[in-house]
Amino acid sequence: MAEHVLVPVDGSPQSVAALRFATAEWPDAQFTLVKVINPADADYRERALSGSEEWYQEEKREARETFAEVKAEVGVVDDGGVTDEKIAVGNPAKVIIDLLTEDGADYDHVVMGSHGRTGVSRILLGSVAEEVVRRAPIPVTIVR
């Protein structure tokens, strides 16, 4: 029985499916949604032209919108701290592992979506889900 579940979200159908699975599997658990802003995803010109602080603020605004959209699509009602939201910056897999291993972390399960890349695209882009599975100190469920 999971009591506190970490669910990384990026607005993709896979992350929506992950939250849907987690809320169905553990309806009484507390959920923390995390959106990782990966600076590597923005091209250099975009950040340089808009200014890094402006770019970062826009990314945070989009992350809050992503949380609202994902929760609305799944039907999660935010009553009494059932869900918490975190926005972090960095390499997604590293940020997720850091959240799981930081002092005071009380997560007992991770549920995340996988884009299901194979072959060359997986080699070039890597797999956040695979790295989290390999390095997480707690159980991880991957939803596709």
Side-chain angles (χ1 to χ4, degrees):
M1 172 74 186
E3 293 180 16
H4 193 177
V5 181
L6 181 68
V7 184
V9 297
D10 60 6
S12 69
Q14 294 86 356
S15 68
V16 171
L19 182 58
R20 184 173 284 120
F21 172 84
T23 57
E25 189 72 18
W26 301 288
D28 297 327
Q30 177 180 353
F31 300 95
T32 296
L33 308 181
V34 62
K35 170 74 168 99
V36 181
I37 298 169
N38 187 354
D41 288 345
D43 69 22
Y44 175 76
R45 283 186 326 145
E46 181 180 89
R47 286 180 286 165
L49 293 175
S50 67
S52 61
E53 184 60 30
E54 186 178 312
W55 174 83
Y56 176 64
Q57 292 304 321
E58 177 64 19
E59 290 293 315
K60 283 178 39 178
R61 184 190 63 72
E62 288 178 12
R64 288 189 292 274
E65 287 177 4
T66 298
F67 290 140
E69 291 167 3
V70 168
K71 290 193 307 188
E73 190 164 336
V74 173
V76 172
V77 178
D78 216 358
D79 56 349
V82 172
T83 60
D84 187 23
E85 299 168 354
K86 292 183 181 286
I87 299 172
V89 177
N91 172 287
K94 182 177 180 341
V95 168
I96 294 165
I97 296 301
D98 289 348
L99 284 171
L100 298 175
T101 58
E102 69 186 10
D103 285 341
D106 66 344
Y107 306 107
D108 50 18
H109 206 100
V110 178
V111 177
M112 61 190 300
S114 172
H115 292 273
R117 292 185 181 102
T118 60
V120 174
S121 66
R122 181 166 171 226
I123 292 168
L124 294 175
L125 298 173
S127 173
V128 173
E130 181 181 359
E131 188 169 345
V132 171
V133 166
R134 280 191 278 122
R135 297 182 52 210
I138 60 175
V140 178
T141 299
I142 304 299
V143 177
R144 278 196 350 176

